[in-house]
Amino acid sequence: MLFNSVDFALFFPIVFLVFWLLANRNIFLRNSFLLAASYLFYGWWDWRFLLLILFSSIVDYLVGLQLGQADAPAKRKLLVGISIVTNLGLLAFFKYYNFFAESFVDAFSFFGRAIQVNTLNIILPVGISFYTFQTMSYTLDIYRRKLKPVHDPVAFLAFVSFFPQLVAGPIERASNLLPQFLEIRHFDEAKASAGFKQIVMGLFMKTAIADRLGLYVAAVYGNVDHHNGMTFMVATVFFAIQIYCDFAGYSLIAIGCAKTLGFDLMDNFKRPYFAHSFKDFWSRWHISLSTWFRDYVYIPLGGSRGSEGRTYANLFTTFVISGLWHGANWTFIIWGALHGFFQTVEKALQNAQRVRLPRSVSIVLVFTLTCFAWIFFRSASVPEAFQIIERIILHPGHRIYTGDLGIFSFALLAILFLLITEWIAEFRPDWTLLYHRSYAVRVFSTSFLILYMAGLGVFDNSQFIYFQF
Amino acid sequence: MEFIQIKGLVRKVFLYLIILTGIDQCAGALLDLALNHSPDGRYYKAKYSLEDCEEDIVIIGDSRGEMDYLPTVFEDSLHMSCWNASRGGQGLPYFRIIQEGLLKRYTPKIILFNVEDNMLEMPTDYERAGFLRPFYQDHPEIRPFIDEISPLEKWLIRSRLYAFNSSFYYLFRPYIFHNLDGDLKDHGWKPRYGSVDPEEERAFTTESELAPLDPMAVQLFETFMNRFKEAGVKVMIVTPPNYNLQVITSSTDQYVANYCKQNHIPLFRYSENIPLITHSSWYGDRDHLNPEGATYFTQKVAHKIKDAFDLVEDPVSVIEFE
């Protein structure tokens, strides 16, 4: 079920009302209801996917219980190994099998040997990368003795499948979210109201900005042979904003939905294009994933505890894995590698204390390089990405394709609107109209967003980009 | 206590939605006013096609339909009134909507249908016809087509502001810049000024690719033709020229040619006519004729239509351009 669908518009108010009727009466009943609602939400795509999430949840629930009782290091390692193998195994099969099989064949062909490997016709279950990481963090935290296992299976299953953040995050840590399933919840009107506003803002970012820009980006990137370098530069900047608004919009809706039900999810984005370094960028972009990789990949690899060279290698490896997490395609791996490279160079320059740029120049530089990496992320293949880069460098042309002038001008308007709201949120948070102290201003600004969406939003039932991951 | 709080919130949300609906309806009424008084442009044209047009000949097509045929030339040579209802970027859903809008009110004598060589191979895109949403309330005949855009459409269209979704640029532009979509005296024709530079444009190319037909497009095409046939309207099909691109054949071409043959529909193919295709000074860009080229081309088509009428009372032959 998509957040921007009629189905969800009917589903959510019912869940909201029934949840609050049950909320402070009986935790078991409330969690059972949330679990049923979440499974309905997820099963709306394909009920068969439910078997996977159920399997992954049961394995981690049982592993968690066993880990709570086991003291022997070998047994603990075995148990956490079962959890990792199960979750990564599901991910490897459903997401990466064909990619590795095809890459294997390509590698052999490159050396002049033809081999036959059968690919499978597999449907990628929506959100598998998100919930496997979330449920894995539970067993890993128990293994590290940072968390006690939960005994209530319904609460655990509801935590893994919690519908607001099930398919595209934020990837919650069990230590933050799970205890919230074990508490009595009390309705708080101010919190619910803040949640609804986040939903409105998230829908605005998705329909009025991301999908609006997406029309132009799809027209340009879908027709690589027909556009010049300048057009690709514009389309890439548009895509940078599109993917941000698409994903941050989704996260805001998820956080807002959870908030109306009294749950607090972590922030996932903090105006990433105001980042003045790549380190800063990754502390603002997809925060739940970057901190996950920091805690469960980078630090276990050794983090920054070893030599300088080892630290750079760890950093680079983490980003390559992060790229692979995004998708089974070399374009994503190169995207991740580029970010790893940018970070290592940045760290090396900082260590050498060679470069000090003014903040505004750093922001522009980081944004430009981020856009460069987005070319790989958006392109259908690596050769296509290089073709686009070649166009930008060698054939910039002298005219930008605008397509339909109406669509293009509304896209520019959307960017202007985003720039203003982001600037206010970054530098003048007290000016934020949506949370202004005046009731009239709050109502006016919320109404403006809704009416703007009605007039200029794109409602083509499009998926959120991160669903594919 | 909590129940009362929730009840209070629900009441507030309900009240808020009522106020929002009121604002939406008021905004919609103002936009309706702007549409109804549009001095020219695409909304004027759509409104005229759906509500006022009573011309003998109506041209239906996409941007090439809009730019390549001059109604005034048809009027002068055939002594029949003519309106060009074509719209750039549009396809079969739009053509069907215009058709229903026409047939609801009157029966044109001739429909000149501009068919692209790949029209039935392209996936049917209802979204493009979405710019006709403002007419949804008053024109029940267009509803089935707009509803096809997405499952949300039936619900969203209840908002008057949504009915004008993304239309503001083209709705208000004619109030500031006149005649960008054609002068009213040209009866729906939109000129494409300029010329192509043969040095920079594509070299002469031939095309004979047979891509699979889109079943939905075929179905829409057949319904379009049948509806006119049932109403007793004579339909002429024309495939327009592209600069330096000779379409030898295509799946659409083959299908349309067979259809025309079986149903005795005159078909004029200019998409393979070498003199027309290679005459660079007649093109505003590689896909559209400029006023000079459009005038010449329309005269040729007018001549063919005249022939088709003079040939027999009830045209039964497929006419190919020599």
Side-chain angles (χ1 to χ4, degrees):
Chain A
M1 206 182 288
L2 292 167
F3 281 160
N4 53 340
S5 68
V6 176
D7 307 330
F8 187 76
L10 295 172
F11 166 85
F12 186 66
I14 296 170
V15 170
F16 175 80
L17 290 173
V18 177
F19 175 84
W20 283 113
L21 284 176
L22 301 171
N24 55 4
R25 295 191 183 174
N26 183 321
I27 291 178
F28 175 78
L29 204 61
R30 183 200 70 193
N31 286 341
S32 302
F33 171 71
L34 263 188
L35 177 63
S38 298
Y39 274 28
L40 177 70
F41 175 87
Y42 192 58
W44 210 255
W45 274 284
D46 190 331
W47 65 268
R48 289 169 300 180
F49 295 166
L50 288 173
L51 299 174
L52 278 180
I53 195 169
L54 187 65
F55 174 67
S56 172
S57 306
I58 288 173
V59 168
D60 284 319
Y61 172 72
L62 295 174
V63 165
L65 286 182
Q66 291 298 312
L67 272 172
Q69 291 165 0
D71 280 327
K75 189 176 180 189
R76 292 177 69 78
K77 271 189 183 160
L78 175 71
L79 286 167
V80 81
I82 291 171
S83 167
I84 290 171
V85 167
T86 304
N87 287 301
L88 293 186
L90 287 176
L91 209 52
F93 179 74
F94 283 98
K95 191 165 174 176
Y96 300 108
Y97 174 81
N98 284 342
F99 170 67
F100 284 124
E102 284 161 9
S103 299
F104 200 58
V105 171
D106 290 345
F108 271 83
S109 309
F110 184 76
F111 291 108
R113 296 283 300 271
I115 59 159
Q116 185 85 30
V117 177
N118 291 332
T119 54
L120 302 174
N121 189 16
I122 307 169
I123 305 169
L124 178 66
V126 183
I128 189 168
S129 310
F130 289 89
Y131 69 74
T132 49
F133 269 40
Q134 179 158 309
T135 180
M136 239 180 354
S137 79
Y138 168 74
T139 48
L140 286 167
D141 281 353
I142 298 174
Y143 174 73
R144 293 167 166 189
R145 298 188 197 279
K146 285 184 176 173
L147 187 72
K148 293 251 181 272
V150 67
H151 289 86
D152 177 352
V154 175
F156 181 75
L157 293 179
F159 150 74
V160 175
S161 63
F162 188 41
F163 75 87
Q165 43 86 246
L166 171 61
V167 288
I171 303 167
E172 275 297 334
R173 301 304 171 77
S175 53
N176 174 43
L177 186 57
L178 194 47
Q180 297 185 53
F181 282 87
L182 305 171
E183 295 164 359
I184 292 270
R185 313 215 73 78
H186 294 287
F187 182 74
D188 177 349
E189 193 181 323
K191 195 171 179 175
S193 166
F196 282 123
K197 268 188 251 172
Q198 282 176 308
I199 294 172
V200 170
M201 190 63 197
L203 282 172
F204 177 83
M205 288 176 86
K206 168 70 178 161
T207 61
I209 305 179
D211 289 352
R212 170 67 59 194
L213 296 175
L215 297 174
Y216 179 81
V217 175
V220 175
Y221 268 82
N223 233 330
V224 173
D225 293 334
H226 292 92
H227 297 291
N228 62 27
M230 270 166 65
T231 301
F232 277 112
M233 279 195 264
V234 172
T236 305
V237 170
F238 276 25
F239 177 67
I241 298 167
Q242 181 201 353
I243 193 166
Y244 165 55
C245 288
D246 190 281
F247 196 16
Y250 182 92
S251 294
L252 265 182
I253 299 170
I255 294 166
C257 284
K259 198 170 265 176
T260 60
L261 301 176
F263 289 86
D264 292 310
L265 301 182
M266 69 186 293
D267 281 341
N268 218 10
F269 289 88
K270 283 181 184 163
R271 301 166 297 283
Y273 294 134
F274 281 116
H276 56 86
S277 67
F278 279 94
K279 189 181 175 194
D280 187 26
F281 178 81
W282 282 101
S283 65
R284 293 162 175 261
W285 178 274
H286 203 174
I287 300 165
S288 63
L289 181 75
S290 54
T291 51
W292 198 100
F293 273 106
R294 182 197 65 202
D295 293 347
Y296 301 110
V297 179
Y298 178 67
I299 291 174
L301 280 173
S304 53
R305 293 191 300 275
S307 65
E308 217 169 282
R310 183 64 203 256
T311 303
Y312 298 150
N314 292 341
L315 203 54
F316 188 76
T317 309
T318 305
F319 274 95
V320 170
I321 298 171
S322 159
L324 186 63
W325 177 90
H326 279 82
N329 194 325
W330 286 102
T331 52
F332 296 116
I333 295 173
I334 292 177
W335 172 78
L338 277 172
H339 273 277
F341 174 72
F342 296 151
Q343 282 244 37
T344 48
V345 170
E346 182 179 277
K347 211 172 174 64
L349 289 173
Q350 272 170 1
N351 288 347
Q353 292 194 322
R354 289 228 175 104
V355 182
R356 279 235 176 263
L357 293 172
R359 193 182 169 92
S360 53
V361 175
S362 304
I363 290 174
V364 173
L365 186 66
V366 170
F367 180 71
T368 307
L369 291 174
T370 306
C371 284
F372 177 73
W374 284 132
I375 294 174
F376 287 92
F377 198 94
R378 180 60 179 81
S379 298
S381 65
V382 176
E384 190 180 289
F386 279 114
Q387 192 186 347
I388 291 167
I389 293 165
E390 187 200 337
R391 288 276 164 83
I392 291 173
I393 297 168
L394 299 177
H395 309 287
H398 41 74
R399 204 172 147 209
I400 295 169
Y401 163 80
T402 55
D404 184 297
L405 266 177
I407 290 175
F408 193 77
S409 53
F410 296 140
L412 293 178
L413 187 68
I415 292 174
L416 180 71
F417 192 87
L418 180 76
L419 212 70
I420 294 169
T421 51
E422 294 278 290
W423 186 87
I424 288 174
E426 180 76 12
F427 300 108
R428 291 275 186 277
D430 50 317
W431 290 4
T432 311
L433 299 182
L434 222 47
Y435 300 98
H436 198 269
R437 60 183 179 280
S438 157
Y439 178 74
V441 172
R442 292 201 303 271
V443 170
F444 176 80
S445 50
T446 310
S447 308
F448 174 79
L449 290 184
I450 294 172
L451 295 173
Y452 186 104
M453 270 191 277
L456 288 170
V458 176
F459 297 90
D460 54 2
N461 222 21
S462 67
Q463 292 260 14
F464 287 86
I465 295 173
Y466 262 67
F467 277 20
Q468 63 184 294
F469 307 136
Chain B
M1 179 61 189
E2 283 194 353
F3 183 70
I4 294 168
Q5 267 190 314
I6 294 169
K7 221 169 121 183
L9 180 74
V10 170
R11 195 183 296 132
K12 270 190 215 165
V13 169
F14 191 66
L15 192 70
Y16 177 65
L17 289 178
I18 289 175
I19 293 169
L20 216 55
T21 307
I23 297 171
D24 173 78
Q25 295 298 315
C26 291
L30 289 174
L31 291 167
D32 270 336
L33 208 65
L35 187 146
N36 289 330
H37 291 87
S38 192
D40 60 64
R42 53 190 70 184
Y43 279 101
Y44 169 87
K45 203 173 157 180
K47 186 171 157 39
Y48 185 82
S49 300
L50 290 170
E51 296 176 359
D52 302 313
C53 147
E54 288 186 342
E55 276 76 356
D56 299 325
I57 304 173
V58 178
I59 303 157
I60 297 181
D62 57 7
S63 63
R64 300 201 297 162
E66 192 173 25
M67 293 173 184
D68 289 0
Y69 308 90
L70 275 84
T72 47
V73 172
F74 285 128
E75 287 175 345
D76 290 346
S77 52
L78 300 173
H79 306 293
M80 296 165 97
S81 59
C82 179
W83 169 249
N84 192 330
S86 307
R87 175 73 241 138
Q90 294 297 332
L92 282 158
Y94 174 82
F95 305 156
R96 283 280 292 118
I97 290 172
I98 294 297
Q99 176 184 48
E100 293 301 328
L102 295 174
L103 293 179
K104 192 180 76 171
R105 292 179 296 105
Y106 85 112
T107 309
K109 289 181 180 153
I110 298 172
I111 291 291
L112 196 156
F113 186 22
N114 179 81
V115 169
E116 298 298 331
D117 289 294
N118 59 356
M119 188 178 77
L120 303 181
E121 295 145 43
M122 308 292 281
T124 309
D125 185 358
Y126 285 90
E127 174 58 42
R128 284 172 181 266
F131 93 98
L132 294 174
R133 283 186 188 104
F135 301 97
Y136 187 93
Q137 296 295 345
D138 298 336
H139 291 269
E141 72 276 10
I142 74 171
R143 290 179 194 167
F145 302 97
I146 300 292
D147 288 346
E148 283 290 330
I149 294 174
S150 88
L152 287 171
E153 210 57 36
K154 269 185 223 159
W155 303 87
L156 292 170
I157 201 79
R158 287 157 204 261
S159 154
R160 286 301 293 151
L161 205 49
Y162 176 76
F164 286 88
N165 183 284
S166 307
S167 68
F168 309 115
Y169 176 77
Y170 293 112
L171 180 64
F172 291 111
R173 191 173 73 174
Y175 284 97
I176 302 161
F177 306 106
H178 294 294
N179 302 333
L180 285 183
D181 282 314
D183 197 324
L184 294 188
K185 68 177 169 44
D186 288 326
H187 301 187
W189 174 61
K190 179 180 174 179
R192 175 72 177 91
Y193 294 109
S195 60
V196 295
D197 181 352
E199 297 297 314
E200 289 197 0
E201 260 305 335
R202 70 180 152 213
F204 184 79
T205 316
T206 57
E207 198 173 273
S208 51
E209 205 177 291
L210 293 176
L213 294 171
D214 177 56
M216 197 185 282
V218 171
Q219 195 191 352
L220 277 172
F221 171 78
E222 289 189 356
T223 313
F224 181 85
M225 300 303 288
N226 289 338
R227 286 282 288 126
F228 277 135
K229 191 178 174 186
E230 285 160 15
V233 181
K234 292 183 171 71
V235 180
M236 313 277 179
I237 292 181
V238 180
T239 63
N242 299 280
Y243 176 65
N244 261 355
L245 177 69
Q246 188 188 28
V247 182
I248 308 288
T249 188
S250 73
S251 304
T252 300
D253 261 348
Q254 289 183 356
Y255 182 86
V256 171
N258 281 335
Y259 184 90
C260 288
K261 199 168 188 176
Q262 282 167 13
N263 293 280
H264 314 299
I265 309 286
L267 167 69
F268 308 133
R269 290 195 75 237
Y270 289 90
S271 49
E272 60 173 352
N273 180 261
I274 297 287
L276 201 53
I277 286 168
T278 53
H279 203 297
S280 62
S281 65
W282 281 342
Y283 287 84
D285 60 44
R286 58 163 67 176
D287 298 320
H288 306 99
L289 296 166
N290 59 22
E292 193 192 345
T295 305
Y296 172 80
F297 176 60
T298 311
Q299 282 166 348
K300 290 294 247 183
V301 176
H303 183 67
K304 290 292 167 189
I305 292 175
K306 209 176 215 173
D307 281 355
F309 277 113
D310 290 343
L311 211 59
V312 276
E313 295 265 314
D314 184 18
V316 290
S317 56
V318 174
I319 298 165
E320 298 277 350
F321 189 71
E322 65 278 358

